[in-house]
Amino acid sequence: MLEEIGRTARQASYVLAQLSSTEKNQVLLTIADLLEKNAHEILNENQKDLDNARQSGINDAILDRLRLTIDRLAVIAHDVRQVSKLVDPIGQIIDGGLLNSGLRLERRRTPLGVIGVIYEARPNVTIDIAALCLKTGNAAIMRGGKETTFTNQMLGHVIQLALKEHKLPAEAIQIINNTDRALVTKMLKLDRYIDMIIPRGGEALHKLCKQESTIPVITGGIGVCHTFVDQSANIDKALAIIENAKTQRPSTCNTLETLLVHRAIADTFLPQLSARIAQKGVTLHADKASFCFLEKGPANVVPIQQGDFDDEWLSLDLNVAIVGNIDEAIAHIRLHGSQHSDAILTQEMKNADYFINHVDSAVVYINASTRFTDGAQFGLGSEVAVSTQKLHARGPMGLEALTTYKWIGYGNDLIRR
C-alpha cells in the first residue's frame, strides 16, 4: 500500500511542478470554499474523534489541539486564502551572473517534490500542509494520529474534491488513515519517493524519525519556551506579555513554559505575577528561591520537581525561577531550552542586544510574547512546522522552506577549455 501511495504521489508531483501560480491559487481558493461549504460534515467527524479521545482519557491539552469549531474552521479557510495571495517562490531567480568562461549561471527555485508529514492530534495541520505544498508545487503524504482519524479523512476528502474539480491528480495530497504504527517506520524508508520528512508531535516521534528515517528529517515543534524579566523591565507591560504568552492558548508549542526573573525585582514582581496569573487559573511551579515570594498566593503554587524545566506543560502551568543576572538566565535557557522561542523583557537595549547574541534559538523576542512564533503571524500564510534545527530551514516554515533550487547554465555553443 505505501509503495503505491509513494509512487502515485511522485507522479502527481511532476504535474504540480508545471502549474502556473494562477492555477495553484485557484485550487487553494476552492479548498477554502469547500471547507466552509462542508463545515457541518467536518465538525460532525471531528466530534467523533473528540468523543473517542475523551473515552481514551486524552488530556485537555491534546483535546484542545484536536477540537475544531466553526470559528477555528473559518480561520483555517482564511489562512488558505492568505496563502493564495502570497508570492509564489517557484521559478524565482535567487542569484547568478556571468562567469569568465562565458557561462551565465543562475539559481532558480524549484519544488522539493514529495513531502512526508507525520503528526498527531492537529487537524489544522492537514490543511496547512496541503495549502503550502500545493502553492509550491509539491505533493504530500500525511499520516495523522489515531486521534484525528475521522477528521482527517473528511479533510482529505475535501482537498481531493478541489483537486478533481481542477482536473488535477487526487494523489497529489494523500492521507494515510491506517493507524498501524508499523506504517510510520515503513514510511520513513520510502526515500525512493519522499524527499523530506516533517514530524510534528512529541519528543518520542522526533526521536523515532531521526533514528529510523532514510529520508532527510526536519525536526522542531517542541517548545520549552522561556521569558526572562530583566531588572529594568516595565512591570505592568511585562505582566501583560507573560499572561498572553502563557494563557492565550496554552496547548501550543510557542506557549511560555518557564519564567526567569531577575533577583533584584523578585520581591515586588512575583507577588504581582501571582495576583495577575491567578485570575487565569495558572499553577506556578516555583524553584526554592521564588517559592517564598509566591507561597502566600493568590495563585496556586507548588515546588518545582526534577525534570519540570525540561518538559512542555502545554497547560495552565508555569515554571518560575529567580536568576541573579542575564548570564544566569542565558545559562538556564541553554541548559533547559529547546531552541524554539525565547524572550527578554527589558528597557535596556544593551541587555536586549546581549540576549539576542547569546541565545541560540530559532526565534528571539524583545518585549514581546512568544506566542507570535507562527507562520500566519510572521506573514507566511501558515506553516508546515517550526524548525529548531539549523540546516535548510529554521523557525516557522513557510513557502520558501518547501523549495530547493537548481543551477541553470546558459552558454552560446560553449565548451570547457
Side-chain angles (χ1 to χ4, degrees), residues 42-43 46 50 63-73 76 123-124 151 155:
I42 293 169
L43 294 182
N46 183 244
L50 288 168
L63 283 173
D64 182 61
R65 289 183 175 189
L66 173 58
R67 183 178 295 107
L68 289 178
T69 65
I70 285 292
D71 288 341
R72 287 186 181 182
L73 207 51
I76 292 170
N124 63 297
T151 309
L155 292 175

Side-chain angles (χ1 to χ4, degrees), residues 65 118-122 199-206 220-222 312:
R65 289 183 175 189
I118 304 167
Y119 55 110
E120 296 173 351
R122 303 166 184 246
R200 291 190 60 163
E203 186 175 356
L205 174 61
H206 286 259
I222 299 173
E312 290 180 296

Side-chain angles (χ1 to χ4, degrees), residues 79-101:
D79 287 346
V80 174
R81 293 189 177 102
Q82 290 302 110
V83 172
S84 76
K85 296 177 183 178
L86 297 175
V87 175
D88 185 352
I90 301 303
Q92 287 179 352
I93 297 172
I94 301 170
D95 55 28
L98 183 64
L99 304 181
N100 291 336
S101 64

Side-chain angles (χ1 to χ4, degrees), residues 382-393:
S382 55
E383 67 191 33
V384 292
V386 177
S387 170
T388 55
Q389 64 183 42
K390 298 182 182 182
L391 294 180
H392 176 65

Side-chain angles (χ1 to χ4, degrees), residues 5-66:
I5 288 173
R7 187 188 66 78
T8 54
R10 173 62 72 191
Q11 290 300 316
S13 73
Y14 299 144
V15 177
L16 295 182
Q18 303 307 313
L19 296 179
S20 68
S21 295
T22 299
E23 289 171 319
K24 291 185 284 189
N25 291 339
Q26 288 172 346
V27 178
L28 294 179
L29 293 174
T30 300
I31 290 174
D33 291 342
L34 289 176
L35 286 172
E36 294 173 339
K37 183 178 179 180
N38 293 275
H40 181 71
E41 291 83 355
I42 293 169
L43 294 182
N44 281 345
E45 296 304 298
N46 183 244
Q47 189 60 53
K48 294 178 185 178
D49 285 326
L50 288 168
D51 292 342
N52 289 340
R54 288 193 187 94
Q55 292 174 12
S56 301
I58 298 294
N59 64 48
D60 289 342
I62 301 300
L63 283 173
D64 182 61
R65 289 183 175 189
L66 173 58

Side-chain angles (χ1 to χ4, degrees), residues 261-406:
V261 180
H262 197 293
R263 183 180 296 123
I265 60 169
D267 58 341
T268 56
F269 181 81
L270 289 176
Q272 293 182 62
L273 170 72
S274 179
R276 176 116 184 189
I277 219 76
Q279 302 171 28
K280 297 290 186 175
V282 175
T283 295
L284 301 174
H285 298 253
D287 72 346
K288 185 176 181 180
S290 62
F291 192 89
C292 62
F293 297 115
L294 295 168
E295 61 181 334
K296 295 181 180 179
N300 183 40
V301 60
V302 296
I304 199 156
Q305 302 298 313
Q306 184 176 3
D308 286 352
F309 283 131
D310 301 305
D311 294 329
E312 290 180 296
W313 284 112
L314 302 175
S315 58
L316 289 173
D317 292 86
L318 178 64
N319 300 325
V320 181
I322 292 176
V323 293
N325 52 50
I326 191 171
D327 286 311
E328 287 187 18
I330 292 167
H332 183 103
I333 292 169
R334 288 175 177 172
L335 180 61
H336 300 288
S338 59
Q339 295 186 303
H340 190 292
S341 302
D342 298 295
I344 182 174
L345 309 182
T346 183
Q347 297 301 304
E348 294 285 347
M349 282 311 299
K350 65 178 182 179
N351 289 347
D353 290 339
Y354 190 85
F355 191 84
I356 291 170
N357 292 333
H358 288 80
V359 172
D360 186 22
S361 298
V363 187
V364 180
Y365 292 101
I366 311 303
N367 297 325
S369 168
T370 57
R371 282 284 291 127
F372 281 102
T373 304
D374 174 84
Q377 292 292 319
F378 276 27
L380 304 178
S382 55
E383 67 191 33
V384 292
V386 177
S387 170
T388 55
Q389 64 183 42
K390 298 182 182 182
L391 294 180
H392 176 65
R394 203 173 195 206
M397 294 175 60
L399 297 177
E400 288 190 4
L402 293 179
T403 69
T404 183
Y405 59 82
K406 63 174 66 172

